[in-house]
Amino acid sequence: MKAEDKTPGVYIEEIPHFAPGISSVETAIPAFIGYTEIAKCIEPGDLHNKPRRIESLGEYEQYFGYPSPEHGSISIAFTTSGMQTEVKVSVDEALRSKFLMHYSLQMYFANSGGPCWITSVGDYNLTEGLILAQDLKDGIAEVAEIDEVTLLVFPDAINLSSATEYYGVYSAAINQAFNLQDRFVVMDVYHDVSNGDVWAFDVNGNNGTDGLRNMISGTPDELKYAAAYFPKIFTGVDYKYKIPGDQNTDNDASIFVTGLAASNLADLKNINNAQYVQAKNAISNMAMLLPSSSAIAGIYAAMDKVHGVWKAPANVNIENAIAPQYLITNDEQQNLNVDVVGGKSINVIRNFEGHGQAIVWGARTLAGNDNEWRYISVCRYFNMVKESSKKATEQFVFEPNDTNTWVLVKLMIGNFLMQQWKSGALMGAIETQAYFVHVGLGETMTEQDILEGRMIVEIGLAILTPAQFVIIQFTQKMGS
């Protein structure tokens, strides 16, 4: 009789017969690191370098404000031929606002992005319009503490003053991903307007696609945590030229006009309202050039949600994209997709008539010559399995490091992987061809390991070929 069974009656005791379960961790939670208009939760500046989780663009605007208004970069030219008057809008890319966070978030959410983290490293006035590499590196250090983050994105980094600074920021991000082994870096190829249309290389070999291969270094184990995309994309995002601090009023005086008596839109409104409306419509229809990484992060989230993290995030049209910056041919892509020297593959955004305006046409990591880690889906899937398994085994930290615990752990992870196999994540006609789980004395541990409180779990996954396993091993430190 148990101690509580002291009176006559019926006592019911639930006896568990199933091993504990594993819940998959989130796989597409980006951290966007860059500059914002404000960084305010309660008091101004209280979110500076403090990561904040948001779920919508409206929530972003609540805490971080609106885009940096364009001033002096947009001009309108009117030309008259006979009875016809045409209006052409142009943007001086060198004079554009360098702050792209808000615009990039629009592309992220347009491509089915979900919850994400925002780290504001400064406001638009703090750096006098300049993007500083050290600010972005400080933001990287802050998101290291956010366990939920699985992707790192830097919308403003493309406007750093040099390729050296740009790739220095991404090297720091890759280093964090390698050390934590729970996140992935989505990057663009550095290419600024000074290089014109020569996108492959410049005289120094560091301002185009060759620059990435020259200036990003690391072992395949490090480079597997990042993927690069090229080129930028023209998007349907609207330029903002608001009066600073007033999101309801356009600053028409900042838009230059040529070909008419008016020198700017404010003058034109007073002179000819019909032409003023024509000019405003032309501005709203103008395409904005943006780096693709934020939209790609949204595609990662969409693919994970619909298919699973093991599905390659490729052969997908980028929503709200009009065209890639450059139309790249099959021959040109061959050299980008495969780097026979360093393996640093570059995934291309391409236009295919009748198929899509901006198709993601590549799914390789920067470890493109590695047989195990060349694909984005493989690396991100392994991150998910490893993190999910590690978190699930934490419940055993104060259990005895003996056979009973090992059996439970093996059953728990085995059941999880069986469901993954049935969902199509793993290859193999039978379970033993798809995965295995090893844990225990003589399998993964020695008596010394047990005495020192180490439970070592080894997982094999066949994600590319049946019975060809890539091994994950992690160690759980058991409590005394």
Side-chain angles (χ1 to χ4, degrees), residues 107 110-111 229-236 287-293 295-296 299 313-328 333 347-362:
M107 289 301 294
N111 284 275
Y229 291 85
F230 181 81
K232 300 177 186 176
I233 49 177
F234 289 104
T235 72
M288 179 187 292
L289 185 63
L290 289 173
S292 63
S293 53
I296 297 297
I299 288 174
N315 195 19
V316 180
N317 191 49
I318 300 176
E319 296 295 330
N320 202 28
I322 296 171
Q325 183 181 13
Y326 304 109
L327 298 180
I328 296 174
Q333 186 178 1
N347 301 304
V348 174
I349 313 298
R350 296 191 60 182
N351 178 288
F352 293 104
E353 291 294 332
H355 185 46
Q357 297 170 312
I359 301 289
V360 182
W361 205 243

Side-chain angles (χ1 to χ4, degrees), residues 49-343:
N49 264 339
K50 296 290 189 293
R52 175 81 186 196
R53 193 179 194 270
I54 66 164
E55 297 192 7
S56 67
L57 189 63
E59 195 174 353
Y60 172 88
E61 292 172 350
Q62 175 185 348
Y63 297 113
F64 299 102
Y66 295 88
S68 174
E70 301 293 335
H71 291 143
S73 62
I74 301 174
S75 59
I76 299 177
F78 283 85
T79 57
T80 302
S81 177
M83 300 296 292
Q84 298 291 328
T85 300
E86 294 184 0
V87 57
K88 292 185 179 179
V89 185
S90 61
V91 178
D92 188 333
E93 291 290 336
L95 296 178
R96 268 185 63 186
S97 170
K98 302 293 188 286
F99 305 115
L100 304 179
M101 180 78 90
H102 189 282
Y103 294 145
S104 297
L105 263 291
Q106 291 183 51
M107 289 301 294
Y108 171 70
F109 287 114
N111 284 275
S112 301
C116 59
W117 289 80
I118 307 297
T119 300
S120 175
V121 300
D123 62 51
Y124 300 149
N125 299 317
L126 187 65
T127 60
E128 299 181 349
L130 297 177
I131 309 299
L132 302 180
Q134 188 56 53
D135 288 348
L136 299 178
K137 290 179 180 179
D138 290 343
I140 294 172
E142 293 298 326
V143 300
E145 302 173 3
I146 309 301
D147 185 57
E148 187 185 29
V149 167
T150 59
L151 300 171
L152 296 177
V153 188
F154 303 86
D156 299 330
I158 201 72
N159 288 319
L160 283 163
S161 60
S162 70
T164 301
E165 290 186 338
Y166 180 81
Y167 291 118
V169 168
Y170 275 103
S171 293
I174 293 170
N175 185 60
Q176 181 183 107
F178 171 69
N179 288 332
L180 299 180
Q181 299 187 11
D182 64 354
R183 55 200 60 189
F184 191 83
V185 181
V186 186
M187 63 186 297
D188 301 277
V189 173
Y190 185 84
H191 176 68
D192 62 27
V193 293
S194 66
N195 206 28
D197 290 335
V198 184
W199 53 260
F201 55 87
D202 66 3
V203 292
N204 297 316
N206 60 16
N207 195 20
T209 55
D210 281 359
L212 180 144
R213 290 167 174 170
N214 292 337
M215 305 185 78
I216 288 285
S217 61
T219 66
D221 276 345
E222 295 168 325
L223 297 178
K224 70 183 181 183
Y225 290 103
Y229 291 85
F230 181 81
K232 300 177 186 176
I233 49 177
F234 289 104
T235 72
V237 175
D238 292 332
Y239 284 93
K240 300 297 181 185
Y241 50 103
K242 305 292 184 182
I243 294 176
D246 183 359
Q247 285 300 313
N248 298 315
T249 308
D250 289 338
N251 185 9
D252 290 342
S254 69
I255 308 298
F256 302 129
V257 175
T258 60
L260 298 174
S263 61
N264 56 55
L265 273 188
D267 293 340
L268 183 61
K269 186 175 183 180
N270 296 325
I271 296 172
N272 190 318
N273 190 66
Q275 289 179 328
Y276 171 77
V277 172
Q278 187 180 13
K280 297 280 281 189
N281 289 336
I283 294 173
S284 65
N285 292 328
M286 180 173 51
M288 179 187 292
L289 185 63
L290 289 173
S292 63
S293 53
S294 296
I296 297 297
I299 288 174
Y300 282 13
M303 296 294 283
D304 291 0
K305 187 186 306 178
V306 175
H307 300 285
V309 67
W310 58 86
K311 177 73 168 61
N315 195 19
V316 180
N317 191 49
I318 300 176
E319 296 295 330
N320 202 28
I322 296 171
Q325 183 181 13
Y326 304 109
L327 298 180
I328 296 174
T329 66
N330 287 334
D331 288 341
E332 290 171 332
Q333 186 178 1
Q334 287 179 12
N335 296 325
L336 297 174
N337 196 50
V338 178
D339 175 13
V340 296
V341 178

